[in-house]
């Protein structure tokens, strides 16, 4: 477990886990840990919002509990459910024995033995090593009723199960919420959190990230990869490539033993960085060659 008692220590600890972050992000992470406030991260997909939760958990030696949000997610699915299959087996076993007491059986069926804990309930329970890191990922995929429930749960750090009562966290979890901003999250929830917009990194920062995540890539190739992806982000694309795509592309090129980027290499591996056919079509013909020439002109020493 690494110390994270200052902004510099946060940057160092995350860097040792392969996560390179600037001082602004390190500051808000430090304040979130220091003040016990949830951290709300917004930004485009693939800029490292989810990865920072993993890095924090690893650096602190805490368990990471992830609630992956989706359309239609409701409170019960996020908190708990009853193991109906096991309950039915218990009912049939009791009936077969011929001595089933209905009231006693009912009380036995709704106990911890038949409870399946989902991420929010799991995060409220004591964990080895201390309070877990609770990642509520892509909150913008859910709807407003779930946001309202979440606001209450994060205010008191407790959840209620009608059959068992209220379960409160002995120590509040470290909460990180992410959003790709496909819709606006309600201000009431944002006000409970410290906020940070995670933007695309500049050239030097992205090169540093690539060195951390794909250290086997040669310096010249790494510079070409980062410069080309950064050039792509200036184009009119439906979905600009994130840092995750930069890393994926580098690993693809390494697997193919590529030493330098060429138009043919781009055409063969473009699916690692662009995920929509319309965007891929824009790079057909001489467009990839044009961008590559611009990249090499910019990288050439003055």
């Amino acid at each position: 477990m690494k110390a994270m008692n200052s902004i510099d220590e946060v940057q160092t600890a995350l860097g040792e886990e392969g996560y390179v972050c600037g001082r602004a992000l390190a500051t808000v992470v430090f304040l979130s840990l220091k003040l016990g406030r949830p951290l709300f991260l917004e930004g485009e997909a693939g800029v490292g919002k989810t990865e920072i939760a993993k890095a924090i958990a690893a650096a602190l030696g805490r368990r990471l509990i992830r609630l992956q949000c989706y359309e239609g997610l409701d409170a019960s699915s996020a908190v708990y459910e009853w193991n109906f299959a096991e309950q039915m087996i218990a009912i049939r076993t009791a009936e077969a024995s011929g001595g089933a007491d209905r009231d006693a059986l009912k009380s036995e069926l709704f106990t911890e033995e038949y409870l399946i804990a989902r991420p929010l309930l799991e995060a409220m329970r004591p964990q080895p090593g201390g309070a877990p890191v609770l990642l509520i990922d892509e909150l913008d995929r859910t709807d407003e009723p779930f946001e309202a429930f979440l606001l209450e749960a994060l205010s008191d750090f407790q959840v209620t199960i009608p059959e068992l009562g209220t379960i409160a966290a002995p120590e509040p979890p470290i909460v990180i919420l992410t959003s790709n901003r496909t819709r606006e999250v309600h201000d009431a929830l944002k006000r409970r959190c410290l906020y940070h917009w995670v933007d695309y990194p500049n050239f030097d920062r992205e090169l540093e990230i690539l060195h951390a995540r794909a250290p086997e890539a040669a310096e010249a190739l790494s510079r070409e990869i980062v410069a080309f992806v950064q050039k792509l982000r200036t184009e009119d694309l439906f979905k600009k490539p994130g840092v995750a795509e930069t890393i994926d592309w580098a690993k693809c090129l390494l697997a193919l033993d590529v030493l330098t980027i060429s138009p043919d290499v781009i055409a063969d591996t473009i699916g690692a960085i662009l995920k929509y056919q319309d965007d891929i079509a824009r790079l057909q013909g001489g467009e990839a060659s044009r961008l590559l020439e611009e990249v090499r002109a910019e990288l050439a020493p003055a």
Side-chain angles (χ1 to χ4, degrees), residues 220-283:
L221 179 62
S222 295
R223 293 178 68 84
E224 280 190 347
I225 290 169
V226 171
F228 189 82
V229 172
Q230 295 233 334
K231 179 66 69 175
L232 277 179
R233 292 186 191 130
T234 67
E235 298 293 303
D236 183 21
L237 299 176
F238 180 76
K239 173 62 179 70
K240 300 181 190 301
V243 180
E245 283 72 38
T246 304
I247 297 167
D248 285 346
W249 193 34
K251 291 180 177 179
C252 288
L253 298 183
L254 288 170
L256 295 172
D257 296 322
V258 171
L259 300 178
T260 186
I261 299 173
S262 68
D264 288 341
V265 166
I266 294 170
D268 290 342
T269 60
I270 194 64
I273 42 178
L274 298 178
K275 309 299 181 179
Y276 289 87
Q277 177 56 33
D278 289 348
D279 290 343
I280 292 173
R282 283 181 59 84
L283 261 71

Side-chain angles (χ1 to χ4, degrees), residues 14 60 135 150 195 221 286:
L14 296 182
L60 293 174
L135 170 62
L150 197 59
Y195 176 86
L221 179 62

Side-chain angles (χ1 to χ4, degrees), residues 83-91 109 113-114:
N83 190 334
F84 294 119
E86 290 295 327
Q87 286 174 325
M88 288 302 299
I89 291 172
I91 291 170
L109 289 175
E113 181 182 354
Y114 298 99

